């Protein structure tokens, strides 16, 4: 009897292991799609970051550092405050963040549709500084403002920002990865594999209840691990946010946390339910096996 069940147990065990791997892929890809790969959330977060006091501080420090050597601290502060509140500058910051996000997640994004976020923001800041200075009667020419290379008095804004210790808008080299399509494909393939492997694992096992209990345990462990994993991933994103783009991703992640907790919490409950169902079914099956000889 044991020898006859050996191949069945081996098949059921392999399928259960494959089910767990597929489940990890499904949950991970789904969490990514509903958080950092979500374009709608990214756009909302970009607007929020662009309008934040944090971004205003970045702009102010950059302008002060660039303008002070050629116009003095008082003028630099005046122009910095005005520029940080310029809605056109904030709009360009938001557009730069959205463009960087699209470049990472959207495989259909072409170079012609994307913008150099840092250069675009530099240009917007310079234009705002020049317009504000002109409106205030400040001699722009004396400052040596040059829109061609986004510099003021020969000092590039990016260099000024670096010396001031403030953040860039986006990383200097944003990769074109097409992560959304990869995540969607992974989710579909893994979901199909998970269902098929789960069915085989249950029905190939000599004691289906035990296999169902094992699958339930796997679901509970994976989803339970992600409950803690959400905190760890969020902490990593927060610690590695060295640009405003990183801050945007952190905001997107934080915005999606309630939905993600609901997803993995539901998965944990389903896993416990499957484990209980498998335990009950296995108990009935064992009882039935013990009573079979009495009928013969």
């Amino acid at each position: 009897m044991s020898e006859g069940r050996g191949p069945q147990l081996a098949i059921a065990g392999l399928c259960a292991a494959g089910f767990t791997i597929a489940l990890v892929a499904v949950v991970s890809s789904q969490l990514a799609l509903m958080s950092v790969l979500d374009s709608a959330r990214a756009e909302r977060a970009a607007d929020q970051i662009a309008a934040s006091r944090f971004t205003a501080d970045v702009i102010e420090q950059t302008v002060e550092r660039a303008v002070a050597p050629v116009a003095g601290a008082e003028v630099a502060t005046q122009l910095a405050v005005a520029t940080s509140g310029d809605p056109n500058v904030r709009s360009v910051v938001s557009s730069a963040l959205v463009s960087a996000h699209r470049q990472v997640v959207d495989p259909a994004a072409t170079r012609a549709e994307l913008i150099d976020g840092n250069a675009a923001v530099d240009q917007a800041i310079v234009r705002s500084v020049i317009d504000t200075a002109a409106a205030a009667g400040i001699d722009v020419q004396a400052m040596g403002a040059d829109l061609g290379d986004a510099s003021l008095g020969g000092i590039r804004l990016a260099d000024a920002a670096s010396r001031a210790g403030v953040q860039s808008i986006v990383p200097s080299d944003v990769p074109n990865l097409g992560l959304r399509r990869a995540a969607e494909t992974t989710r579909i393939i893994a979901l199909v594999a998970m269902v098929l492997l789960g069915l085989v694992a249950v029905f190939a096992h000599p004691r289906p209840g035990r296999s169902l209990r094992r699958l339930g345990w796997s679901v509970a462990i994976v989803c339970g691990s992600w409950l803690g994993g959400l905190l760890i991933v969020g902490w990593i994103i927060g610690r590695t946010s060295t640009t405003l783009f990183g801050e945007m991703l952190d905001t997107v992640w934080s915005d999606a946390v309630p939905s993600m907790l609901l997803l993995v919490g539901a998965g944990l409950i389903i896993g416990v339910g499957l484990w209980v169902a498998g335990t009950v079914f296995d108990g009935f099956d064992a009882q039935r096996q013990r009573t079979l000889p009495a009928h013969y």
Side-chain angles (χ1 to χ4, degrees):
M1 181 69 69
S2 298
E3 292 181 359
R5 291 185 174 183
Q8 290 179 280
L9 291 172
I11 293 173
L14 289 174
C15 288
F19 170 89
T20 303
I21 295 173
L23 175 64
V24 171
V26 168
V27 175
S28 301
S29 59
Q30 179 59 36
L31 291 176
L33 286 168
M34 64 195 303
S35 58
V36 294
L37 301 185
D38 188 328
S39 295
R41 277 195 168 94
E43 291 176 3
R44 292 198 302 270
D47 290 338
Q48 180 179 338
I49 292 297
S52 68
R53 180 66 247 178
F54 180 79
T55 298
D57 289 340
V58 171
I59 296 173
E60 287 179 12
Q61 292 178 58
T62 300
V63 173
E64 286 179 356
R65 178 68 66 160
V67 175
V70 294
E74 183 177 349
V75 172
T77 300
Q78 178 184 347
L79 296 179
V81 172
T83 301
S84 67
D86 189 334
N88 291 327
V89 174
R90 297 295 186 98
S91 177
V92 173
V93 170
S94 178
S95 298
L97 294 175
V98 171
S99 179
H101 183 268
R102 186 181 178 194
Q103 183 173 336
V104 173
V105 307
D106 189 355
T110 63
R111 291 294 179 183
E113 298 174 316
L114 302 172
I115 64 174
D116 183 337
N118 292 321
V121 173
D122 279 356
Q123 293 286 346
I125 290 176
V126 169
R127 170 55 67 188
S128 179
V129 168
I130 291 176
D131 291 345
T132 302
I138 300 173
D139 188 355
V140 178
Q141 296 299 323
M143 293 169 51
D146 183 0
L147 278 174
D149 63 358
S151 64
L152 290 168
I155 303 175
R156 287 190 57 80
L157 292 178
D159 296 336
S162 176
R163 287 196 298 273
V166 298
Q167 298 185 342
S168 301
I169 301 302
V170 298
S172 57
D173 185 18
V174 179
N176 195 346
L177 301 176
L179 292 180
R180 184 185 295 111
R181 179 177 296 174
E184 289 173 345
T185 302
T186 298
R187 180 179 59 181
I188 293 173
I189 295 175
L191 182 60
V192 172
M194 184 183 74
V195 172
L196 293 177
L197 290 170
L199 291 174
V200 174
V202 171
F203 291 107
H205 200 285
R207 301 281 292 272
R210 291 187 177 182
S211 187
L212 182 61
R213 182 173 59 188
R214 179 176 179 179
L215 296 185
W217 184 240
S218 297
V219 172
I221 289 177
V222 170
C223 293
S225 298
W226 260 113
L227 279 174
L230 293 177
L231 298 176
I232 296 174
V233 174
W235 178 80
I236 293 174
I237 292 176
R239 294 284 293 179
T240 55
S241 298
T242 58
T243 63
L244 290 182
F245 181 69
E247 294 293 333
M248 184 190 75
L249 292 182
D250 191 15
T251 301
V252 171
W253 181 267
S254 299
D255 179 59
V257 163
S259 298
M260 293 189 291
L261 288 175
L262 183 62
L263 174 67
V264 295
L268 179 60
I269 293 173
I270 290 173
V272 172
L274 289 175
W275 183 84
V276 172
T279 301
V280 173
F281 183 76
D282 187 53
F284 285 141
D285 187 49
Q287 181 65 28
R288 183 179 63 84
Q289 293 292 338
R290 286 194 296 268
T291 59
L292 276 178
H295 298 287
Y296 293 94

